[in-house]
């Protein structure tokens, strides 16, 4: 069985005080969570604080982005070595906001995934379609192209060190959520896509749902056979909500 993974993407939110409070509450509440892997991804300025607060806990630290450069005159960039130095074990790559607002292409994202894995971290590769693409029934072709961007550039074996997060872009921050059946259908397609290259990798790779998972719908979503966790946005900024999703992961894992 694949262990559930719940990762909180804090995006560009928080200050020193709120981060301390949020992490303290998550740490306290996570002491009873035993079957779900928990990850938090704060903004870059809070990595040092987060690493210190998380020391000695089971909660893992992740980053929201990574540079394609190792070092040098790249003002404002953060390298993989820097992230690894601060204890990051995960890096989000190819989030829909990076694709839309910062023009990250499939080739750039593949390069980031490769660098992340080379430095011993796991990539959370985000894929997903916009509302317009969904209405034109392009969901599978869009996701296939996004996955091929990594497979053709790096090879299928890299997926041994990748989690995939399906982000229906139309359901992020809109209050809309794919039904469990809709989400499962796309997750199954993603697994079949990976299986066409490697059955072994397809069986063990974790595919997370990244479309406004909440405490209220977490159990229904996580109960689907191909949904292995969640990449959580807004709900990860509220400790009780985030912990409720993590507990849903434990509940589902206990039933399987």
């Amino acid at each position: 069985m694949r262990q559930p993974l719940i990762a909180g993407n804090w995006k560009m939110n928080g200050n020193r005080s709120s981060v301390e409070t949020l992490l303290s509450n998550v740490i306290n509440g996570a002491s009873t969570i035993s079957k779900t892997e928990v990850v938090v991804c704060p903004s870059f300025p809070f990595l040092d604080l987060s690493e210190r607060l998380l020391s000695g806990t089971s909660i893992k630290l992740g980053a929201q982005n990574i540079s394609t450069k190792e070092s040098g005159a790249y003002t404002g960039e953060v390298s993989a070595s820097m992230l690894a130095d601060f204890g990051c074990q995960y890096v989000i790559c190819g989030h829909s906001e990076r694709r839309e607002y910062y023009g990250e292409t499939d080739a750039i994202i593949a390069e980031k995934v490769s660098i992340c894995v080379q430095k011993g971290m796991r990539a959370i590769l985000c894929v997903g379609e916009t509302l317009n693409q969904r209405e034109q029934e392009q969901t599978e072709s869009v996701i296939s192209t996004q996955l091929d961007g990594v497979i053709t550039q790096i090879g299928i074996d890299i997926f041994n060190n990748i989690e995939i997060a399906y982000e229906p872009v139309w359901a992020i921050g809109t209050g809309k959520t794919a039904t469990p059946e809709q989400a499962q259908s796309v997750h199954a397609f993603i697994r079949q896509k990976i299986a066409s290259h490697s059955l072994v990798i397809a069986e063990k790779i974790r595919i997370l749902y990244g479309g406004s998972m909440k405490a209220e719908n977490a159990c229904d979503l996580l109960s689907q056979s191909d949904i292995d966790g969640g990449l959580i946005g807004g709900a990860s900024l509220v400790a009780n909500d985030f912990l409720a999703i993590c507990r849903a992961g434990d509940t589902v894992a206990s039933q399987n």
Side-chain angles (χ1 to χ4, degrees):
M1 177 187 168
R2 296 177 293 270
Q3 181 186 21
L5 169 63
I6 303 297
N9 176 15
W10 294 359
K11 306 191 179 183
M12 195 173 69
N13 291 293
N15 54 44
R16 183 185 295 274
S17 176
S18 68
V19 166
E20 287 180 340
T21 300
L22 176 57
L23 273 182
S24 294
N25 289 336
V26 170
I27 289 167
N28 289 335
S31 61
T32 60
I33 295 168
S34 59
K35 298 181 183 298
T36 300
E37 185 176 2
V38 182
V39 180
V40 294
C41 302
S43 297
F44 289 142
F46 304 122
L47 287 178
D48 178 54
L49 173 61
S50 299
E51 181 192 24
R52 286 188 277 113
L53 291 174
L54 293 175
S55 178
T57 76
S58 61
I59 301 170
K60 296 176 180 175
L61 184 63
Q64 299 175 19
N65 189 27
I66 195 171
S67 175
T68 59
K69 307 299 182 182
E70 174 58 24
S71 63
Y74 303 103
T75 301
E77 291 294 287
V78 177
S79 73
S81 295
M82 293 173 181
L83 297 179
D85 199 30
F86 277 87
C88 288
Q89 293 177 263
Y90 286 87
V91 180
I92 300 171
C93 297
H95 192 279
S96 59
E97 292 158 4
R98 300 296 311 177
R99 294 177 188 266
E100 180 180 359
Y101 304 147
Y102 301 97
E104 292 193 2
T105 63
D106 291 332
I108 290 172
I109 293 161
E111 188 175 1
K112 290 187 174 190
V113 167
S114 178
I115 291 168
C116 170
V117 172
Q118 287 173 25
K119 293 299 179 180
M121 297 176 286
R122 295 187 68 84
I124 300 176
L125 171 64
C126 299
V127 298
E129 82 283 16
T130 65
L131 179 59
N132 182 57
Q133 289 167 335
R134 185 172 190 85
E135 289 176 341
Q136 295 185 29
E137 299 183 350
Q138 296 175 342
T139 296
E140 292 186 359
S141 63
V142 168
I143 291 173
S144 183
T145 297
Q146 291 168 339
L147 291 172
D148 282 339
V150 175
I151 295 170
T152 58
Q153 189 164 324
I154 311 173
I156 192 62
D157 287 346
I158 195 80
F159 283 82
N160 283 304
N161 301 101
I162 292 176
E163 328 291 342
I164 298 173
Y166 166 53
E167 299 183 287
V169 181
W170 49 272
I172 300 174
T174 64
K176 298 179 180 179
T177 306
T179 65
E181 293 75 22
Q182 286 174 319
Q184 164 59 24
S185 176
V186 179
H187 279 238
F189 168 77
I190 292 171
R191 198 174 304 282
Q192 290 164 6
K193 170 77 175 178
I194 300 300
S196 69
H197 296 272
S198 170
L199 289 171
V200 172
I201 294 175
E203 178 60 30
K204 66 181 182 179
I205 194 168
R206 291 183 292 191
I207 308 174
L208 317 180
Y209 178 68
S212 296
M213 184 182 287
K214 308 178 186 68
E216 297 78 19
N217 61 22
C219 273
D220 287 341
L221 286 163
L222 294 171
S223 294
Q224 302 300 311
S225 59
D226 290 296
I227 299 181
D228 306 310
L231 179 60
I232 315 301
S236 69
L237 299 172
V238 181
N240 286 339
D241 292 349
F242 185 62
L243 288 166
I245 296 171
C246 294
R247 284 193 287 269
D250 265 21
T251 298
V252 172
S254 296
Q255 294 170 349
N256 293 329

